Amino acid sequence: MILLDGKSVSKKRNLELKDKIKDAINLYKRAPKLAIILVGNNPASLSYVKGKKKACELVGIINEMHHLDENVSELDLKALIVNLNQDDTVDGILLQLPIPKHLDEDLLIDLISKDKDADGFHVVNQGYLYQKKKTIYPATPKGIMTLLDTYDINVKGMNAVIIGRSNIVGFPVARLLMDQGATITVCHSKTKDVGFHTRNADIVVVAAGRPHMLTKDMVREGAVVIDVGVNRVDGKLIGDADFEDLREICSYITPVPGGVGPMTIHSLLENTFELYMNHVKK
Ligand code: GUN
């Protein structure tokens, strides 16, 4: 078994990105800027946002935090997004999800200018992705594809099973794997027998949010396992894949933590830099 070490891959790539950003700052006389909007105090979101902020600082991206009260009105949040859209010093905007139920997530995501959409969640950018056109890709799927590429894992002709159908991970990663020549199956909460599908998979991407749901009996020998799950159980972070169980039989596997998570953050930095380059060249 070979560990897909997202932590070290992202560290190396972040340093390369830092150099690119330094050169760009010399040329364009300003640093890239990412505005991060966090609503409320969801502990997981607080921790993710802290990680994103730290990563920005490491590579030279200015981060502007907007930490709003849990009860902020939709009107106020809309006004903030419109302001950030108009602010010429801001290159990327990120609205940390989930947001409280009284706020319309789809409406707010689509209010972010598609040219500042650091997450690649805007309906237009997702439309470009589904039409196989160049655009900003959602960070987790992009990070997974970079990790596979770094380890020379060519998915052409593979059977890929994705567990989870979200707009953030499952659906876009299915699209990207298909673009690379994989045959895809998307399983979800209504799938009758997930194991029936995963047992025939050459690569399994699990993004179900269910601790250790993917076990040895569900995966065939030599398969690649990509674990997107981040579950806090008894104060410990564990994935959707039962790592100890699976490590004996799979060819490659991502650990949790240290696998997909750092690659997601790296991709967010790459997206912000790409938006900045589009912005300064306009
Ligand atoms: N919540 C969980 N994952 C993500 C992500 O990639 N971006 C944002 N904005 N929120 C998230």
Side-chain angles (χ1 to χ4, degrees):
M1 180 277 293
I2 296 174
L3 199 68
L4 295 170
D5 187 352
K7 193 171 168 188
S8 67
V9 171
S10 64
K11 200 168 169 185
K12 181 167 171 280
R13 290 181 65 98
N14 282 344
L15 289 176
E16 288 162 6
L17 183 62
K18 183 179 178 178
D19 284 342
K20 280 195 213 166
I21 291 175
K22 202 169 146 202
D23 291 347
I25 293 172
N26 279 334
L27 198 59
Y28 299 109
K29 309 295 173 214
R30 73 168 181 88
K33 191 196 276 188
L34 175 67
I36 300 176
I37 307 172
L38 172 64
V39 183
N41 292 300
N42 175 317
S45 294
L46 279 168
S47 155
Y48 290 142
V49 162
K50 201 171 143 197
K52 290 172 183 180
K53 192 170 151 49
K54 202 171 139 202
C56 282
E57 282 159 9
L58 193 87
V59 299
I61 293 175
I62 299 170
N63 56 90
E64 186 179 283
M65 269 300 296
H66 297 268
H67 192 172
L68 309 178
D69 189 84
E70 178 85 31
N71 299 313
V72 67
S73 71
E74 192 167 280
L75 207 62
D76 285 349
L77 187 45
K78 279 161 105 177
L80 171 63
I81 291 173
V82 170
N83 258 327
L84 294 171
N85 283 343
Q86 287 167 354
D87 184 340
D88 210 34
T89 70
V90 172
D91 303 291
I93 304 170
L94 177 157
L95 174 62
Q96 185 63 34
L97 303 176
I99 52 177
K101 293 273 176 287
H102 70 281
L103 302 167
D104 184 337
E105 186 176 298
D106 288 343
L107 181 142
L108 292 162
I109 284 174
D110 291 341
L111 188 63
I112 294 173
S113 160
K114 71 170 179 43
D115 299 323
K116 296 192 176 187
D117 173 27
D119 268 318
F121 293 167
H122 191 285
V123 67
V124 171
N125 287 326
Q126 293 231 329
Y128 285 139
L129 168 70
Y130 297 133
Q131 291 195 359
K132 228 176 150 175
K133 292 180 179 141
K134 191 173 157 27
T135 188
I136 291 290
Y137 293 160
T140 301
K142 179 173 170 158
I144 291 170
M145 299 312 287
T146 305
L147 198 56
L148 292 173
D149 188 50
T150 306
Y151 283 83
D152 289 325
I153 299 170
N154 185 350
V155 300
K156 194 169 164 182
M158 281 190 181
N159 289 334
V161 173
I162 298 99
I163 309 173
R165 54 176 161 174
S166 71
N167 283 341
I168 297 182
V169 184
F171 208 36
V173 84
R175 175 74 232 191
L176 293 175
L177 287 166
M178 189 168 72
D179 287 349
Q180 296 294 317
T183 301
I184 57 166
T185 301
V186 180
C187 298
H188 45 76
S189 55
K190 304 290 181 291
T191 303
K192 277 190 195 143
D193 181 358
V194 175
F196 170 80
H197 300 280
T198 53
R199 274 189 286 277
N200 191 37
D202 302 303
I203 175 166
V204 181
V205 179
V206 58
R210 286 173 52 203
H212 287 185
M213 64 96 53
L214 190 74
T215 46
K216 195 162 74 176
D217 56 303
M218 296 168 76
V219 174
R220 81 174 180 206
E221 183 122 24
V224 178
V225 173
I226 306 291
D227 188 354
V228 184
V230 187
N231 310 286
R232 200 171 283 275
V233 177
D234 298 333
K236 254 183 80 184
L237 284 187
I238 63 167
D240 288 353
D242 190 338
F243 184 87
E244 286 309 320
D245 204 25
L246 286 162
R247 64 182 304 159
E248 300 161 25
I249 58 157
C250 49
S251 55
Y252 296 88
I253 186 167
T254 57
V256 175
V260 173
M263 292 305 296
T264 296
I265 295 191
H266 170 69
S267 302
L268 171 70
L269 303 176
E270 279 190 333
N271 281 353
T272 306
F273 182 57
E274 192 176 328
L275 294 172
Y276 159 86
M277 289 301 282
N278 294 342
H279 191 178
V280 289
K281 283 183 180 170
K282 250 187 190 165

